[in-house]
Amino acid sequence: MSKTILGILASGRGSNMQAICNSIDAGLLHAKVGLVISDKANAKVLEHAAAKGIPAICIERKDFPSKQEFEAAIAQQLTLYHVDLVVLAGFMRILSAYFVNLFSGSIMNIHPSLLPAFPGLDAHEQAIAYGAKVSGCTIHFVDEGMDTGPIIMQQAVSILADDTVETLSERILAVEHKLYPQAIRLYCEQRLCIEGRNVKII
Ligand code: GRF
């Protein structure tokens, strides 16, 4: 079977991108990162990708008159690099229906809470402020909503009495780094079947 080509979109430090690359290097994931795109010129993820010899491109919203033209530029690069699966890894923008429809069923996101609890920004802070005893992370297919697409995998992480945003995010991040490559692997093995809101693992 040929390798699934991943296009990673990220805005920040890129630890999930690195975890995915490590899984590929360890032979656990039959995939190739075709390119990394960031909407932030100074994002660490671009440095990490370039250090690994992965094409690393910055596409900034401010350089386009409209959101659709910005997304079209991203889509153009993903197509140019023959991307099969778009992997959002800390990409801090909501993608419109236009973009989602271009890659329908082939965009994944990771979010640091057990969705539908605590969507959007500052998920760890939301969970602690709410007094939740459990949070975790969710990997889901992307639709045009914010963190609303069909759920692929979730794993719980306990919230401890003395947790801060830093300590909780560190423990959740360790789980993210294991779970995201697993979900991508299922996609690569064509074992994910979307039925409405339900993702069946076959
Ligand atoms: C992760 O916590 C992820 O769940 C969220 O953004 C963060 C990205 O971290 N969507 P990194 O850039 O992969 O280190």
Side-chain angles (χ1 to χ4, degrees), residues 4-202:
T4 302
I5 301 182
L6 312 179
I8 299 183
L9 307 191
S11 302
R13 76 193 148 181
S15 71
N16 276 290
M17 186 280 279
Q18 288 179 293
I20 293 162
C21 290
N22 291 343
S23 260
I24 292 172
D25 294 346
L28 299 171
L29 195 52
H30 194 59
K32 172 187 166 181
V33 181
L35 87 161
V36 170
I37 299 176
S38 182
D39 61 326
K40 297 266 183 286
N42 58 357
K44 284 275 171 220
V45 70
L46 291 174
E47 287 174 33
H48 295 316
K52 284 192 153 288
I54 298 167
I57 300 168
C58 174
I59 301 178
E60 290 185 277
R61 171 68 182 86
K62 67 173 173 56
D63 294 333
F64 299 88
S66 70
K67 178 169 176 158
Q68 184 157 328
E69 283 159 281
F70 165 66
E71 291 183 347
I74 294 175
Q76 190 185 27
Q77 291 299 322
L78 294 170
T79 305
L80 198 64
Y81 283 86
H82 306 289
V83 164
D84 301 301
L85 176 66
V86 180
V87 176
L88 307 186
F91 189 62
M92 302 302 285
R93 287 183 182 276
I94 314 265
L95 295 164
S96 71
Y98 158 76
F99 185 92
V100 170
N101 288 332
L102 287 178
F103 298 92
S104 178
S106 301
I107 312 174
M108 274 187 199
N109 183 41
I110 187 160
H111 181 76
S113 76
L114 294 178
L115 292 169
F118 315 126
L121 290 176
D122 304 322
H124 312 93
E125 198 176 318
Q126 290 185 56
I128 291 172
Y130 196 85
K133 303 296 185 198
V134 177
S135 191
C137 70
T138 302
I139 294 148
H140 63 93
F141 283 113
V142 172
D143 63 12
E144 59 276 12
M146 187 173 62
D147 301 326
T148 51
I151 291 172
I152 302 166
M153 294 176 94
Q154 294 187 296
Q155 191 168 323
V157 173
S158 293
I159 301 180
L160 309 177
D162 58 355
D163 256 336
T164 61
V165 168
E166 288 69 32
T167 58
L168 179 60
S169 40
E170 199 179 317
R171 289 204 311 290
I172 293 179
L173 196 63
V175 175
E176 292 183 35
H177 292 165
K178 289 199 194 113
L179 218 59
Y180 216 177
Q182 286 176 28
I184 294 168
R185 181 179 176 158
L186 290 171
Y187 181 92
C188 296
E189 293 172 349
Q190 298 181 349
R191 293 180 56 202
L192 298 177
C193 184
I194 307 176
E195 291 178 8
R197 279 220 53 85
N198 221 305
V199 179
K200 297 246 163 74
I201 298 176
I202 53 176

